[in-house]
């Protein structure tokens, strides 16, 4: 068989195309199956995009020629997009005051999605990171003992100056949420209202020691959801966090979301970032989704990538021999095989839980633009060629359990 890279179909994909045509269930092109088409009866498949992709200009270590290829891949494979950075507070609202907003890059992101009929996710309204210092600074700072948490140490780069009062910070949060959500009302369908508010580790604290928590108190999350709901009553409001494959952190999430539901806080979906590594198995993801599904809310996988560099895999001759597999006319490296197996495992879990899982978003279109690029964590390489993991993901639907 000729080696034609992108169009060369491995056995799994051929079987898939045939199976789907035999069913008449979908119109996937036999020659060239794509993520969005193959999974369209189950969930949306999206990607985070950077500013170069949204605006069609060189950047992020990519020449214009490569950016154009990244854009083509985005349109080809994905029906949902998230702005990787441009809706974060630091980027969209860098300065205080009515003219402190910079909407240009976010507008470009929204225009790109609307003109390509993509489902738009806004990321993120309230987060401890990528938020400018002025947000937390006081005009009439309260004495240090008020609003502070004894013993709390600020993290690296965290604002340490005089702090805003609770009311001042709530008012800034309300203004920010109303302005940003209001601007994109009707176009951005989902918002990550609060990002990463849960504490890591085995301690009993549910919430992270952020300035939001310290200045406003634990109700900062509920207030953010209320403001967002007021700004766009039709938007799906999401709580988003990482590390939910870990049972301890997951239990904190479940406790937190249950209490929101009891209080009537308008949290409408759970976002699980899923920045994982190749040791995350089907069983781990299956258990995580089983537990999270008990909340009765849709689950969105919001920032998926799988780090291959997690355990410093160096293929030995024997490993490569054992993993050798003839697809696209060549040997698959050990790292590529492990990545493909890991992706297949977690996609089996996503498909098993397809009643709850509504959106799967990859955190980047290819390895070259990934924030974890040293771990080659995505389905496409820097030349936008599908890796063995791409075929493994598409192949999951052809397995007997899922046909
Ligand atoms: C990352 C971006 O990918 C990087 O470009 C940026 O420098 C830092 O943030 N959790 C999140 C995302 O919610 O917003 C982060 O994105 C990755 C971790």
């Amino acid at each position: 068989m000729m080696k034609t890279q992108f169009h060369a179909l491995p056995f799994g994909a051929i079987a898939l195309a045939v199976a789907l045509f035999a069913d008449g269930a979908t119109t996937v092109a036999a020659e060239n199956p794509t993520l969005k088409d193959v999974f369209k009866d189950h969930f949306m498949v999206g990607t985070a995009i950077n500013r170069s992709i949204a605006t069609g200009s060189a950047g992020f270590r990519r020449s214009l020629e490569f950016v154009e290829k990244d854009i083509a891949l985005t349109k080809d494979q994905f029906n949902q997009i998230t702005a990787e950075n441009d809706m974060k507070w630091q980027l969209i609202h860098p300065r205080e005051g009515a003219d402190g907003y910079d909407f240009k890059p976010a507008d470009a992101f929204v225009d790109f999605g609307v003109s390509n009929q993509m489902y738009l996710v806004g990321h993120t309204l309230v987060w401890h990171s990528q938020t400018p210092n002025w947000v937390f600074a006081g005009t009439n700072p309260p004495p240090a003992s008020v609003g502070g948490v004894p013993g709390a140490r600020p993290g690296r780069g965290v604002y340490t100056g005089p702090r805003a009062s609770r009311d001042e910070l709530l008012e800034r949060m309300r203004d920010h949420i109303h302005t940003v959500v209001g601007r994109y009302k009707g176009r951005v369908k989902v918002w990550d209202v609060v990002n990463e508010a849960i504490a890591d580790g085995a301690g009993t604290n549910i919430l992270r020691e952020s300035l939001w928590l310290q200045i406003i108190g634990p109700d900062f999350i509920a207030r953010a959801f209320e403001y967002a709901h007021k700004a766009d009553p039709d938007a799906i409001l999401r709580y988003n966090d990482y590390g939910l494959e870990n049972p301890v952190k997951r239990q904190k999430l479940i406790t937190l979301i249950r209490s929101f539901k009891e209080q009537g806080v308008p949290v409408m979906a759970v976002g699980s970032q899923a920045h994982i590594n190749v040791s995350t198995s089907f069983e781990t993801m299956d258990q995580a989704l089983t537990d999270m599904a008990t909340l009765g809310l849709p689950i969105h996988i919001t920032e998926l990538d799988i780090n291959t560099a997690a355990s410093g895999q160096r293929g030995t001759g024997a490993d490569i021999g054992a993993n050798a597999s003839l697809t696209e006319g060549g040997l698959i490296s050990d790292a590529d095989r492990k990545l493909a197996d890991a992706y297949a495992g977690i996609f089996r879990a996503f498909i098993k839980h397809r009643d709850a899982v509504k959106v799967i978003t990859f955190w980047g279109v290819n390895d070259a633009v990934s924030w974890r690029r040293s771990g080659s964590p995505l389905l496409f390489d820097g030349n936008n060629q599908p890796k063995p993991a791409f075929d493994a993901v598409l192949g999951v639907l052809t397995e007997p359990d899922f046909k």
Side-chain angles (χ1 to χ4, degrees):
M1 188 163 78
M2 229 175 67
K3 190 185 168 203
T4 53
Q5 301 273 356
F6 193 81
H7 294 276
L9 284 175
F11 298 122
I14 290 170
L16 167 80
V18 172
L20 292 175
F21 271 112
D23 275 4
T26 152
T27 53
V28 173
E31 304 269 321
N32 200 1
T34 63
L35 294 165
K36 67 179 178 192
D37 285 341
V38 165
F39 292 105
K40 77 168 194 270
D41 294 334
H42 306 303
F43 33 70
M44 280 182 260
V45 185
T47 181
I49 64 167
N50 60 35
R51 190 180 300 182
S52 280
I53 294 174
T55 58
S57 46
F60 299 87
R61 304 169 306 278
R62 303 288 265 180
S63 66
L64 186 56
E65 188 194 339
F66 271 97
V67 171
E68 278 164 2
K69 289 180 180 157
D70 296 348
I71 292 171
L73 183 74
T74 303
K75 292 184 189 171
D76 216 27
Q77 294 289 333
F78 304 104
N79 52 18
Q80 178 272 315
I81 51 170
T82 306
E84 185 173 358
N85 284 296
D86 282 328
M87 286 180 160
K88 293 171 182 173
W89 198 312
Q90 189 175 60
L91 285 301
I92 204 170
H93 193 180
R95 292 169 307 278
E96 194 167 10
D99 59 357
Y101 288 90
D102 177 11
F103 294 119
K104 255 180 111 177
D107 285 357
F109 161 79
V110 170
D111 291 346
F112 178 90
V114 168
S115 58
N116 291 298
Q117 292 90 45
M118 290 163 162
Y119 192 75
L120 293 177
V121 170
H123 174 81
T124 176
L125 298 169
V126 174
W127 190 21
H128 64 275
S129 184
Q130 291 183 270
T131 303
N133 286 342
W134 68 261
V135 176
F136 303 109
T139 45
N140 288 303
S145 61
V146 179
V149 173
R153 272 180 295 126
R156 202 159 45 96
V158 169
Y159 173 71
T160 54
R163 293 177 177 186
S165 67
R166 168 182 158 92
D167 286 349
E168 203 167 15
L169 185 53
L170 276 173
E171 178 47 30
R172 285 177 187 156
M173 183 206 262
R174 197 199 61 80
D175 166 76
H176 177 81
I177 291 176
H178 275 235
T179 306
V180 174
V181 174
R183 184 176 182 91
Y184 302 113
K185 189 171 184 287
R187 290 179 288 167
V188 169
K189 308 289 186 193
V190 179
W191 278 101
D192 284 329
V193 178
V194 176
N195 198 32
E196 303 182 352
I198 297 175
D200 290 319
T204 49
N205 282 3
I206 291 199
L207 297 181
R208 169 192 300 276
E209 282 298 345
S210 69
L211 287 167
W212 294 106
L213 175 67
Q214 293 182 4
I215 297 172
I216 296 177
D219 65 330
F220 83 90
I221 305 178
R223 297 288 87 77
F225 276 92
E226 285 161 10
Y227 298 152
H229 190 46
K230 186 124 200 262
D232 184 354
D234 296 325
I236 294 172
L237 304 183
R238 195 158 85 177
Y239 176 80
N240 191 46
D241 217 320
Y242 65 88
L244 301 175
E245 300 74 30
N246 173 325
V248 175
K249 189 148 181 193
R250 185 160 71 240
Q251 192 48 53
K252 294 182 187 182
L253 171 93
I254 289 169
T255 306
L256 186 70
I257 303 290
R258 281 216 179 107
S259 88
F260 289 158
K261 289 185 79 183
E262 279 159 20
Q263 296 165 59
V265 177
V267 50
M268 302 168 196
V270 171
S272 175
Q273 293 183 6
H275 292 297
I276 54 184
N277 62 49
V278 287
S279 67
T280 307
S281 62
F282 164 81
E283 287 77 15
T284 304
M285 190 56 78
D286 180 31
Q287 190 61 56
L289 294 169
T290 301
D291 293 350
M292 289 191 286
T294 63
L295 290 166
L297 294 175
I299 298 169
H300 297 186
I301 304 299
T302 55
E303 306 183 11
L304 177 61
D305 54 16
I306 304 185
N307 201 337
T308 55
S311 48
Q313 298 147 20
R314 289 185 53 202
T316 63
D319 279 343
I320 289 173
N323 286 313
S325 176
L326 273 174
T327 62
E328 301 186 333
L331 286 177
I332 294 177
S333 75
D334 193 37
D336 272 350
R337 171 50 53 211
K338 283 190 168 130
L339 187 73
D341 289 347
Y343 266 113
I346 62 160
F347 266 80
R348 274 178 207 122
F350 298 155
I351 290 289
K352 178 176 170 190
H353 293 276
R354 58 188 176 269
D355 288 346
V357 176
K358 299 295 171 206
V359 181
I360 310 236
T361 308
F362 288 87
W363 204 242
V365 298
N366 64 44
D367 285 344
V369 300
S370 162
W371 75 311
R372 296 168 106 190
R373 60 193 159 278
S374 61
S376 306
L378 295 167
L379 301 186
F380 299 93
D381 69 18
N383 291 316
N384 287 328
Q385 296 304 313
K387 294 156 62 179
F390 174 81
D391 300 316
V393 162
L394 294 190
V396 166
L397 270 186
T398 68
E399 293 170 0
D401 285 352
F402 300 129
K403 261 199 231 165

